[in-house]
Amino acid sequence: MSVGHCATRLRFNLKNDKKADTEFLQNLKGVVGVVNKGGQYQVVIGSDVKNVYKQLLELGSFNNNDVSSEKGEDKGIITKALDTIAGIFFPIVPALTGAGMLKAVMAIAVALGWLSSKSSTYQFINYIGDTAFYFLPILLANSAAKKFKCNEYAAMAIGGVLLHPTFTTMVANAKKAGEGLQLLGLPVSLVSYGSSVVPIILAVWFMSYVERLADKIIPGTIKLFGVPLLTLMIVAPVTLIAIGPLGNILGVGLGAGVTFLNAYASWLVPLLVGALTPLMVMTGMHYGLIPIGINMLATTGYDTVAGPGMMVSNIAQGGASLAVAIRAKNKDVKQLAGSVWITAVLGITEPAMYGISLRFKKPLYAAMIGGGAAGLFIGVMGVGRYAQVAPGLLALPSFIGQDGFANVIYAAIGCAIAFIVSFIASFMLGIDEPEQDTKGSGDKAEVVIDVASSGVIYAPIKGRTVDLKEVSDPVFADGIMGQGVAIIPEEGAVYAPVDGVVSALFDTKHAIGITGDDGVEILIHIGIDTVKMNGRCYTAHIQKDQKVKKGDKLLEFDMKAIKEEGYDLITPVLILNSSDYAEVLGITDKDIKVGDALIKIAK
């Protein structure tokens, strides 16, 4: 199994996705939604995904190798194709986005007269912005090698073969002289591979088979240099003679097909992309648009397929969510919608999509209406972008071209149409929101727990209780893993807070999971980042799956030694399945001893 993340999601490649507890994840505090499409199992977190990812890597054993094509997988051809496309293009998006935004900023500076296109500063910034696109074959070689399970550096060398100055000079001179080139007596097409997409992907795919064959036939004593030598001797010539030209023809053909659509039905693709992007994102099919857009930028310098339609679709999600924020009566829904519409407008739609649109359905319909209306407009007006940037409001500078501001003005009008139409449609449709819990309004009152009642979690550690917000780790502080309280320990011993079973005991002994007899799931996390201590200073008195009674000693830890190594001993006590309870009330700002009532849960 491997795991990665994007701006809002954890992305898992699972050997068996049927073992994933989707229902539990969907109900987990901090999880916006779960998607199992496009060859990936995706857990939508939101802007805190980096912090969750960091904790996940510390708690689990993961690798960076894609397992999606291992034997035993039962995935359809479309799913495999989408998984391959996603795996190849997703890792390089940050490089292209950074370069694209730099080109967009430079276009603004030139258009406003802040920078002359003849200045040396312009030349420097221009080539810096072009670098990621020109060396695209090398970037793609690395990510493609990981997908096709061959050596990344050998693959990057093949990408370098296509871009080497000697080869590009030979091609330029041959074109100028009207002559041809030959390698091993066979003709080499006079093709420039800078910024190309398809040729290197085909070359690395071919290389994956050659490398495996070479590894089988070359004796073990000379594998170290024999395998890469034979691979390079076969793949490089075949790529220059056959694969590269074929890939170039396919790339040009793809661009010609899009040009044909733009000439005879320019409104069609942006309309469909603008309306259907939410559905494509849910299924992972939007990955199919990314290489088309990048290929258009590489071949024509102008993308009318992926960027414009996805931009107005994202902004439509923002408009629909803002309408929910204004119209909703439920405090939680209003607060959520009031924040996610901003991220949607800026190009990150997963929180709005899974938190609002898919949850209530009607905002989704409104977003599709607004995105389709805006897509139709920008399609009729022939709007396209000149750089690869994240599709949101901040992408507008990438629509500034060499012919003035007409293109970017139409793009801005399209954004306005998307936002306004979706807002009006969402406001009129409304949502079927949950009932508002009006109990306990006003200032926060002191929590008093009746120890005679059921649903009481008792203090596992002696110390001072504080609010989770005082924990320095945002995964705990923001309640992403569940509600609860934190304890600043005064003694180095942890006791069972309820009767139950030890459901988790990490090898590092820094955290314990207890599942109570009534089903409550409790995590006691002793210290922050203490996983790095690898179990030093911790002594466990129990084992995983062991039955425990309230007050049984679970483990001991050396407070002094842990503090001397610079770790914070604050200990979050969390209810992992908080979503199963109507109330999770904890006592804070109080000195407690082991066995005192700490948290009250109620269904």
Side-chain angles (χ1 to χ4, degrees):
M1 179 175 70
S2 63
V3 62
H5 74 88
C6 59
T8 59
R9 309 185 194 191
L10 294 171
R11 297 176 178 271
F12 296 87
N13 287 98
L14 304 178
K15 291 183 179 180
N16 185 354
D17 57 14
K18 295 180 177 62
K19 292 185 177 181
D21 192 343
T22 301
E23 183 178 355
F24 170 77
L25 288 172
Q26 288 174 330
N27 294 324
L28 189 63
K29 175 76 172 180
V31 172
V32 180
V34 176
V35 183
N36 188 16
K37 296 290 184 180
Q40 288 186 331
Y41 191 88
Q42 304 169 15
V43 181
V44 185
I45 303 294
S47 58
D48 285 313
V49 67
K50 288 185 178 180
N51 295 318
V52 177
Y53 177 71
K54 175 185 174 183
Q55 294 291 325
L56 188 67
L57 291 185
E58 292 182 348
L59 294 176
S61 298
F62 304 99
N63 59 64
N64 293 324
N65 297 320
D66 190 348
V67 299
S68 60
S69 59
E70 290 185 3
K71 290 182 179 180
E73 279 291 297
D74 185 18
K75 295 182 178 180
I77 295 177
I78 295 178
T79 297
K80 289 180 180 179
L82 291 173
D83 183 39
T84 301
I85 292 171
I88 292 174
F89 283 90
F90 183 77
I92 71 169
V93 167
L96 299 184
T97 300
M101 285 303 297
L102 181 61
K103 297 278 286 184
V105 170
M106 188 172 63
I108 295 175
V110 172
L112 297 177
W114 299 341
L115 183 66
S116 171
S117 59
K118 298 180 180 179
S119 67
S120 60
T121 299
Y122 175 89
Q123 300 300 323
F124 272 109
I125 299 177
N126 188 53
Y127 96 75
I128 292 172
D130 282 338
T131 300
F133 290 96
Y134 180 78
F135 290 102
L136 190 57
I138 296 179
L139 301 180
L140 287 171
N142 182 282
S143 56
K146 292 177 180 177
K147 288 300 296 183
F148 297 132
K149 294 181 174 57
C150 55
N151 187 277
E152 301 101 296
Y153 301 99
M156 292 167 68
I158 299 299
V161 168
L162 297 178
L163 300 176
H164 197 283
T166 299
F167 175 65
T168 56
T169 300
M170 291 171 65
V171 169
N173 291 338
K175 286 182 178 180
K176 186 176 181 180
E179 301 174 350
L181 293 175
Q182 288 189 339
L183 174 61
L184 302 175
L186 297 172
V188 175
S189 297
L190 305 182
V191 176
S192 175
Y193 294 102
S195 303
S196 62
V197 174
V198 181
I200 189 61
I201 294 177
L202 294 178
V204 175
W205 173 75
F206 174 67
M207 175 189 149
S208 68
Y209 288 95
V210 174
E211 188 178 76
R212 282 194 286 271
L213 177 63
D215 188 63
K216 288 182 179 180
I217 65 177
I218 291 181
T221 54
I222 60 172
K223 278 185 186 292
L224 180 63
F225 64 86
V227 172
L229 173 62
L230 184 60
T231 301
L232 187 64
M233 288 179 60
I234 295 175
V235 176
V238 172
T239 298
L240 290 171
I241 294 169
I243 295 177
L246 173 62
N248 181 69
I249 292 172
L250 293 175
V252 172
L254 181 62
V258 175
T259 301
F260 175 84
L261 283 176
N262 287 337
Y264 295 98
S266 62
W267 53 270
L268 179 60
V269 174
L271 167 62
L272 294 176
V273 174
L276 301 180
T277 287
L279 303 182
M280 289 191 290
V281 170
M282 289 159 47
T283 59
M285 294 185 67
H286 65 299
Y287 287 119
L289 295 177
I290 295 175
I292 297 176
I294 293 176
N295 185 74
M296 284 198 69
L297 288 171
T299 56
T300 67
Y302 191 70
D303 168 28
T304 59
V305 174
M310 295 183 75
M311 178 181 70
V312 296
S313 175
N314 290 349
I315 290 175
Q317 286 273 357
S321 296
L322 178 60
V324 171
I326 293 175
R327 178 163 177 173
K329 295 182 175 63
N330 183 281
K331 180 180 65 176
D332 294 334
V333 173
K334 184 181 287 290
Q335 181 178 359
L336 176 63
S339 61
V340 300
W341 79 268
I342 299 175
T343 59
V345 166
L346 296 179
I348 300 175
T349 59
E350 285 89 348
M353 185 184 305
Y354 295 103
I356 299 297
S357 295
L358 288 178
R359 180 180 174 187
F360 300 112
K361 302 299 187 297
K362 292 178 182 178
L364 173 63
Y365 307 148
M368 293 176 67
I369 293 171
L376 177 61
F377 172 80
I378 62 175
V380 171
M381 305 310 297
V383 174
R385 65 175 176 177
Y386 295 90
Q388 172 74 25
V389 296
L393 196 62
L394 297 180
L396 281 176
S398 68
F399 289 80
I400 300 175
Q402 303 297 322
D403 301 325
F405 288 94
N407 187 68
V408 71
I409 290 173
Y410 290 138
I413 294 174
C415 292
I417 292 173
F419 191 86
I420 294 171
V421 171
S422 62
F423 177 89
I424 294 173
S426 180
F427 194 88
M428 293 177 63
L429 291 173
I431 61 170
D432 300 321
E433 59 185 302
E435 293 182 5
Q436 175 68 49
D437 182 7
T438 58
K439 298 184 293 183
S441 60
D443 295 336
K444 183 177 179 180
E446 180 181 357
V447 177
V448 178
I449 297 177
D450 179 8
V451 296
S453 66
S454 60
V456 177
I457 313 301
Y458 297 90
I461 299 175
K462 179 182 179 181
R464 179 78 180 177
T465 62
V466 296
D467 193 280
L468 281 180
K469 295 185 183 300
E470 297 191 27
V471 180
S472 59
D473 191 321
V475 174
F476 298 123
D478 295 341
I480 292 174
M481 296 187 66
Q483 300 178 50
V485 297
I487 301 174
I488 301 174
E490 294 180 4
E491 293 181 356
V494 181
Y495 299 84
V498 294
D499 296 345
V501 176
V502 178
S503 53
L505 177 63
F506 297 93
D507 294 338
T508 53
K509 304 180 184 67
H510 73 292
I512 301 174
I514 303 287
T515 299
D517 290 342
D518 59 354
V520 63
E521 298 172 6
I522 305 166
L523 175 69
I524 306 169
H525 195 285
I526 303 99
I528 303 303
D529 288 334
T530 46
V531 64
K532 298 176 182 177
M533 300 188 70
N534 294 317
R536 296 191 317 277
C537 308
Y538 291 86
T539 303
H541 296 287
I542 40 81
Q543 297 178 341
K544 187 177 181 297
D545 298 325
Q546 179 177 327
K547 287 280 293 181
V548 294
K549 292 288 187 181
K550 181 177 76 71
D552 288 352
K553 183 178 286 189
L554 303 178
L555 64 79
E556 293 178 293
F557 55 96
D558 189 334
M559 294 178 59
K560 182 179 179 181
I562 295 173
K563 288 180 179 178
E564 286 177 351
E565 294 199 29
Y567 292 99
D568 185 355
L569 269 174
I570 191 169
T571 300
V573 180
L574 307 176
I575 309 301
L576 296 180
N577 56 339
S578 296
S579 59
D580 292 344
Y581 301 96
E583 288 184 322
V584 178
L585 302 175
I587 293 177
T588 58
D589 300 321
K590 183 178 179 181
D591 293 320
I592 59 169
K593 61 181 183 295
V594 174
D596 286 349
L598 179 67
I599 300 172
K600 168 69 177 178
I601 55 176
K603 292 204 172 187

